Amino acid sequence: MAETQPTRSLGFFATLSTVTGTVIGSGIFFKVPAVTKATGTVSMATFTWLLAGIITICAGLTAAELAAAYPQTGGLTIYVGKAYGSFWGFLAGWAQSLIYFPAQWAAAAIAFATQFVDLFGLKSSWLPVVAIVITLLVLMVNFISAKAGGMVSSIALVVKLLPIIAIVVLGFVHPGDPQFRLFPVAPGPHQHFWTALGSGLLATMFAYDGWIHVGTMAGELKHPKKDLPRAIFFGLSLVTVVYLLISLVFLYVAPLATVANNLNISSQVAHIVFGPLGGKIITIGIMVSVYGALNGFVMTGIRVPYVMGYLGYLPFSRGFRSLNRGGVPWLGGSLQFVVALLMILSGTFDTITNMLVVVIWFFYMLCFAAVFILRKRAPELERPYRVPGYPIVPIIALAGGAFIVLTTAITQPMITIIGILVTAAGIPVYRYQKARHRITLK
């Protein structure tokens, strides 16, 4: 395997597709019921989705300044390392490489397999087999080249939007629920405004997650300083619009009580709008959507161990930074596949994914704060892109991150503690590598 730099082969549309394709997965179809139950009204649910979108866009715009300033493969690992030093950069990469991305692969694969088994009437025993096979197939496509993975993201984005557009357009033509109201913005009976908003936002943020990881591919973009910030902004704006429309059409077509906490609501709405074949149509649409998300997480995830190896963070760094004939880091991707495989077979990936929400948002907050730190510490740093609305936009991103971390720590303390312990388990590896003077990022 060659130890060379990745090829800059990705254009703007492939990058935009990776942003949207990674974020728009199963979350919107499964989180609408949770948000509706948490908020209790159409108006409050809609406001929550919109506010979450604004926070996410602010987060994306903030992180984009770092992505444009450091247009190299690595993303969050590089940003955190540049601002806080190699120790925190290592922990960010460790959490992403061995837990976060494999958990996302496993979650997306299980979601795809669940729909596949239901569509073809297979026994539930086929579920892990389908999940493992689809993960392996996506990984193999991405091993061909970065361009092949980007092409899959582009195709999946176009295909996944077709059923979404169909159900949105025809859904609003269909007679709606007479209780559908967008104003006033208020929670349901016997619910406190801030409690409802907090629970709703926590649910939506899982659906919006994944936007920052396109930064791991900056080194493979043809024009990273120009295309990356544009892809993040336009991609997340598109995601916000899509999420708002899907939530609204579900709540318009079906009564609120039917939508709340009903994981099969997408099929039910499709059945109402399209007739008996609607359930199968929307199932195929969900499968394409989840496939696109899985491809996006695989495409971005396998680059993190490459950067970890390049910076000397991991033992056997030479292997982790080696590339195959397609210019793709193969060893890190193979290791992540093994971890994802174990998660699929163990069935504990939901707990791990929930745990990583608080961990990853902690590192997101470090990333947002890094914009302030680096502007003061390195004013001479070339910044082709600067956060618009500074410092308000980064402050909004920080406030949103703090809300998620604190809410999870208060409501789910054990998951928070486990997340901290798992992340801290990488510290001995860092100390070992540093003691042997193998770490190159100072």
Side-chain angles (χ1 to χ4, degrees):
M1 300 294 176
E3 186 179 322
T4 58
Q5 293 294 319
T7 305
R8 292 189 180 273
S9 58
L10 300 178
F12 170 73
F13 190 74
T15 310
L16 175 72
S17 302
T18 302
V19 174
T20 54
T22 301
V23 177
I24 301 178
S26 58
I28 181 57
F29 298 105
F30 294 105
K31 285 300 182 180
V32 169
V35 174
T36 303
K37 182 181 180 181
T39 55
T41 64
V42 174
S43 63
M44 192 68 179
T46 303
F47 175 74
T48 302
W49 281 106
L50 177 61
L51 180 59
I54 292 172
I55 293 173
T56 303
I57 290 174
C58 288
L61 289 174
T62 302
E65 177 169 319
L66 300 178
Y70 301 108
Q72 59 204 85
T73 295
L76 188 63
T77 304
I78 296 295
Y79 313 151
V80 173
K82 291 290 186 181
Y84 305 97
S86 60
F87 175 74
W88 291 104
F90 167 84
L91 287 183
W94 175 270
Q96 290 181 92
S97 296
L98 295 183
I99 308 172
Y100 178 80
F101 278 112
Q104 290 286 7
W105 295 13
I110 290 293
F112 180 94
T114 301
Q115 300 298 323
F116 186 93
V117 167
D118 179 69
L119 181 65
F120 292 100
L122 302 176
K123 295 181 179 179
S124 58
S125 58
W126 280 95
L127 196 148
V129 176
V130 174
I132 293 170
V133 170
I134 193 63
T135 304
L136 183 59
L137 287 176
V138 172
L139 183 62
M140 290 298 102
V141 169
N142 278 272
F143 273 178
I144 295 174
S145 68
K147 189 174 183 179
M151 186 178 300
V152 170
S153 289
S154 300
I155 295 173
L157 172 63
V158 174
V159 174
K160 80 166 61 176
L161 288 179
L162 293 178
I164 291 176
I165 293 172
I167 196 170
V168 166
V169 173
L170 296 180
F172 284 120
V173 174
H174 191 277
D177 177 23
Q179 301 300 317
F180 183 87
R181 298 285 187 277
L182 291 178
F183 298 99
V185 177
H190 312 297
Q191 289 181 289
H192 189 274
F193 181 89
W194 294 109
T195 302
L197 180 63
S199 300
L201 275 177
L202 195 59
T204 58
M205 285 303 178
F206 179 80
Y208 276 107
D209 190 47
W211 49 269
I212 200 172
H213 305 305
V214 72
T216 64
M217 303 179 60
E220 292 160 85
L221 270 59
K222 295 177 182 177
H223 309 289
K225 293 182 179 180
K226 179 180 69 173
D227 288 345
L228 192 56
R230 290 196 304 149
I232 291 175
F233 175 75
F234 289 113
L236 292 178
S237 297
L238 175 61
V239 168
T240 301
V241 171
V242 169
Y243 281 12
L244 277 172
L245 290 176
I246 286 291
S247 176
L248 284 171
V249 78
F250 281 9
L251 292 167
Y252 179 77
V253 171
L256 186 140
T258 302
V259 176
N261 211 31
N262 182 358
L263 293 181
N264 292 319
I265 189 60
S266 56
S267 296
Q268 292 184 18
V269 169
H271 183 88
I272 294 172
V273 174
F274 297 109
L277 291 178
K280 292 187 179 296
I281 293 174
I282 199 63
T283 296
I284 294 173
I286 292 174
M287 288 171 61
V288 173
S289 180
V290 175
Y291 182 91
L294 175 58
N295 183 77
F297 277 116
V298 169
M299 191 175 183
T300 54
I302 62 178
R303 270 77 186 178
V304 179
Y306 164 80
V307 174
M308 297 279 283
Y310 191 80
L311 297 175
Y313 281 150
L314 299 174
F316 311 107
S317 289
R318 184 182 297 274
F320 281 105
R321 63 177 180 259
S322 65
L323 308 176
N324 64 14
R325 293 182 178 179
V328 178
W330 63 276
L331 182 57
S334 301
L335 175 62
Q336 289 174 320
F337 172 75
V338 172
V339 177
L341 173 68
L342 295 175
M343 291 181 180
I344 292 172
L345 294 176
S346 68
T348 59
F349 64 92
D350 277 335
T351 302
I352 296 175
T353 302
N354 291 337
M355 173 190 66
L356 253 292
V357 168
V358 67
V359 173
I360 203 67
W361 268 93
F362 171 77
F363 287 107
Y364 288 170
M365 289 176 63
L366 292 182
C367 178
F368 306 149
V371 172
F372 295 94
I373 294 172
L374 291 174
R375 282 204 181 188
K376 183 176 181 180
R377 181 196 302 164
E380 75 288 348
L381 178 67
E382 182 184 358
R383 293 176 173 84
Y385 162 88
R386 288 175 176 264
V387 184
Y390 180 91
I392 302 301
V393 169
I395 289 174
I396 293 174
L398 271 169
F403 176 85
I404 293 170
V405 171
L406 292 176
T407 301
T408 306
I410 294 171
T411 60
Q412 303 181 59
M414 285 306 300
I415 286 181
T416 304
I417 293 173
I418 293 173
I420 294 173
L421 292 176
V422 172
T423 303
I427 294 177
V429 177
Y430 173 82
R431 298 299 183 194
Y432 177 86
Q433 292 295 99
K434 186 175 183 180
R436 282 153 181 76
H437 305 287
R438 295 173 179 173
I439 294 176
T440 59
L441 179 64
K442 305 301 182 183

